[in-house]
Amino acid sequence: MLVKIHAHQADDIATAMRIAKEFNLNMTVEHATEGYLIADKLKENNQTVIIGPTLGNKSKYELKEKSFKSGKVLFENGVNFAIMTDHPVIEQKHTLIQVALFVKEGLPELEALKAVTINAAKACHIDDKVGSIKEGKDADIVIWSKHPLDIMNQADIVLLNGNVVVER
């Protein structure tokens, strides 16, 4: 069973990894706000993290090191990660804005998009069903009016379960 541990600070993330190793837990670290500060330890432990929400203010002490540079650092260090909004903390409709801000801070565009598609599915162990477009998988498809990370884009066509549900 996949265990989801919520931790922001580096010392808490390190403790979670130690406990997971001791008890042979299959886990992801949710939020991992300071994960980028210990990227080498995450890589060494082959630890998957789900970072976010990063959009919004630093409303508590645990968020003081929150940064959109975290995606770039994790990627450059070979850490498996996904990006989340922690809906309703940051509404899902703001996902692509958050992703664009990671790109703005140096995360390669393709890696940013993978962080909310296939990497997220892998982190949740459901990549055999979703996360990419492949025969036999469930795939919802959006055709955008502009580049997906352009704030001025609109969903021109949305297909859910093979049915067009939005068409402009």
Side-chain angles (χ1 to χ4, degrees):
M1 177 182 292
L2 180 61
V3 176
K4 304 280 205 171
I5 296 182
H6 291 234
H8 288 281
Q9 294 181 285
D11 58 340
D12 293 332
I13 296 166
T15 299
M17 287 190 294
R18 182 185 54 75
I19 291 169
K21 189 172 190 175
E22 181 179 341
F23 292 99
N24 196 30
L25 299 175
N26 177 14
M27 71 147 185
T28 60
V29 178
E30 313 298 298
H31 306 304
T33 305
E34 294 183 4
Y36 72 103
L37 300 175
I38 58 167
D40 57 336
K41 298 286 185 213
L42 294 171
K43 175 64 176 171
E44 180 182 309
N45 286 281
N46 196 30
Q47 182 59 59
T48 298
V49 296
I50 303 175
I51 58 175
T54 311
L55 192 63
N57 62 20
K58 298 176 183 181
S59 59
K60 54 187 175 180
Y61 180 79
E62 293 88 351
L63 304 179
K64 68 183 173 72
E65 298 296 332
K66 181 169 71 165
S67 173
F68 282 104
K69 292 182 189 316
S70 62
K72 176 185 178 190
V73 173
L74 293 172
F75 169 70
E76 288 177 345
N77 282 276
V79 176
N80 302 317
F81 74 96
I83 296 171
M84 71 161 162
T85 63
D86 204 24
H87 180 84
V89 175
I90 301 296
E91 292 183 56
Q92 283 181 326
K93 67 183 179 181
H94 300 304
T95 299
L96 290 179
I97 294 169
Q98 184 170 260
V99 170
L101 291 169
F102 279 106
V103 171
K104 180 180 177 184
E105 292 298 326
L107 179 62
E109 190 174 281
L110 179 59
E111 296 305 319
L113 293 171
K114 286 167 59 176
V116 291
T117 56
I118 190 63
N119 291 0
K122 286 178 181 177
C124 295
H125 297 180
I126 56 172
D127 55 301
D128 60 325
K129 297 177 181 72
V130 297
S132 62
I133 300 171
K134 185 176 179 183
E135 187 174 345
K137 285 187 170 186
D138 295 337
D140 299 332
I141 298 171
V142 179
I143 300 173
W144 300 98
S145 61
K146 297 182 181 207
H147 189 286
L149 301 182
D150 184 330
I151 197 164
M152 300 301 289
N153 74 26
Q154 293 185 37
D156 281 344
I157 300 173
V158 178
L159 292 103
L160 300 177
N161 299 319
N163 300 307
V164 175
V165 295
V166 172
E167 189 168 12
R168 291 191 196 274

